[in-house]
Amino acid sequence: MHILFDTGCRVHEACEITIGDWQHSHFGREIRAINKGSFGVRTKNLYLSDRTVKILRKYVDTERYVVDKHGRKLRDLMNMPAPMAHETPLFLTSINTRFSEDYFRSHFWSPALLKAGIKLRIHQIRHWYVTMAIKNLKDISKSEEELEKNRHILRLLMSWKSDMLSVYDHSIQYADLPNFANQLHNKMEEKIKSENLITQKTKKSDSKDQDSEMTLMLNEMLWSN
């Protein structure tokens, strides 16, 4: 779910992520992903916050490791041959199969909604992300020229198909994507903290901490709309 909040990607795009999609960045902040209508081809990049990277790495070494029939941890996946890595799902079910949208909805989305006591369509995360990104464009733009450039970069970040893409050189735009995404993450997190929607939690079990964080994310999404 953290990937959805960080990137505004679609559920099926997140479910299709493989080890190879993340391996190329050395399990850092960038993940390759499919796009709507790309027929399985990785045509866009997802940029994660540092917090989500830590959560994903922990997931690989704990939850995923338990259900991986080969018992592989992050250090093992780093050395996995590329062809095998591109065939190996990042997210595994309890029976060692790739996540499906239905599995994610029943095991993660629905329980989080139940705990938060709210009703939401999962696609609203994508709308929330875009809305927050647009709201924060002015905050990270120092001039009208930079604001217009950032609008175009956002279109690239979301991999939208449009005839109105930037007049700027594409190589410059793509180089700006990671930094642009990082600025958005920082602004979003600052906004949440300023409204006291992220609080210091005492040490609890991992599952309880994750449930609490999911509730905060969902509440923030509702509040911001």
Side-chain angles (χ1 to χ4, degrees):
M1 193 177 293
H2 290 81
I3 292 178
L4 303 183
F5 276 91
D6 268 8
T7 68
C9 73
R10 301 172 180 87
V11 178
H12 76 276
E13 295 168 356
C15 291
E16 288 290 324
I17 293 172
T18 67
I19 297 300
D21 292 332
W22 194 21
Q23 188 187 58
H24 85 285
S25 69
H26 305 288
F27 299 94
R29 296 182 59 244
E30 185 177 327
I31 293 180
R32 291 172 179 158
I34 62 173
N35 194 23
K36 185 177 181 180
S38 70
F39 303 101
V41 179
R42 272 55 183 169
T43 59
K44 69 179 179 182
N45 293 326
L46 307 178
Y47 298 97
L48 311 177
S49 65
D50 291 333
R51 181 180 61 169
T52 295
V53 171
K54 290 179 182 178
I55 290 171
L56 282 179
R57 287 179 174 179
K58 183 177 180 180
Y59 160 75
V60 169
D61 279 343
T62 54
E63 297 176 56
R64 190 187 185 283
Y65 161 75
V66 173
V67 296
D68 185 339
K69 62 182 179 182
H70 299 292
R72 292 167 295 199
K73 291 192 173 184
L74 190 63
R75 62 176 180 271
D76 304 307
L77 301 179
M78 285 181 175
N79 299 316
M80 181 181 286
M84 182 184 297
H86 288 299
E87 295 295 326
T88 304
L90 172 59
F91 299 109
L92 293 177
T93 68
S94 57
I95 56 173
N96 194 53
T97 57
R98 182 191 299 271
F99 265 31
S100 66
E101 289 186 54
D102 288 341
Y103 185 89
F104 174 79
R105 292 174 192 276
S106 61
H107 288 76
F108 295 93
W109 180 249
S110 294
L113 289 182
L114 183 63
K115 188 173 184 64
I118 57 180
K119 293 182 179 180
L120 279 177
R121 291 183 296 107
I122 199 166
H123 194 66
Q124 286 181 257
I125 293 182
R126 182 174 173 83
H127 292 310
W128 172 84
Y129 176 85
V130 174
T131 299
M132 290 293 289
I134 292 174
K135 284 181 178 179
N136 286 301
L137 285 181
K138 288 187 177 181
D139 292 335
I140 64 176
S141 303
K142 299 177 181 179
S143 65
E144 285 298 319
E145 181 181 8
E146 187 175 3
L147 176 60
E148 185 60 27
K149 179 182 178 181
N150 283 337
R151 288 195 183 104
H152 292 308
I153 294 177
L154 178 60
R155 293 190 184 101
L156 287 176
L157 190 66
M158 300 301 296
S159 291
W160 288 325
K161 295 179 180 179
S162 171
D163 294 332
M164 298 299 293
L165 290 178
S166 181
V167 296
Y168 298 97
D169 179 72
H170 280 197
S171 63
I172 296 176
Q173 293 182 53
Y174 280 108
D176 286 346
L177 285 180
N179 181 57
F180 178 77
N182 186 53
Q183 290 183 75
L184 286 180
H185 291 151
N186 290 338
K187 280 294 180 182
M188 289 179 181
E189 191 162 337
E190 285 175 12
K191 189 171 186 294
I192 296 172
K193 287 181 178 179
S194 69
E195 297 296 333
N196 295 319
L197 293 172
I198 289 182
T199 59
Q200 289 290 335
K201 298 188 292 289
T202 57
K203 290 185 177 180
K204 301 177 182 178
S205 67
D206 289 341
S207 61
K208 288 183 179 179
D209 284 346
Q210 289 176 11
D211 286 343
S212 179
E213 192 168 352
M214 289 301 100
T215 301
L216 288 169
M217 285 182 170
L218 291 167
N219 284 334
E220 156 60 8
M221 187 175 73
L222 279 177
W223 175 86
S224 64
N225 287 333

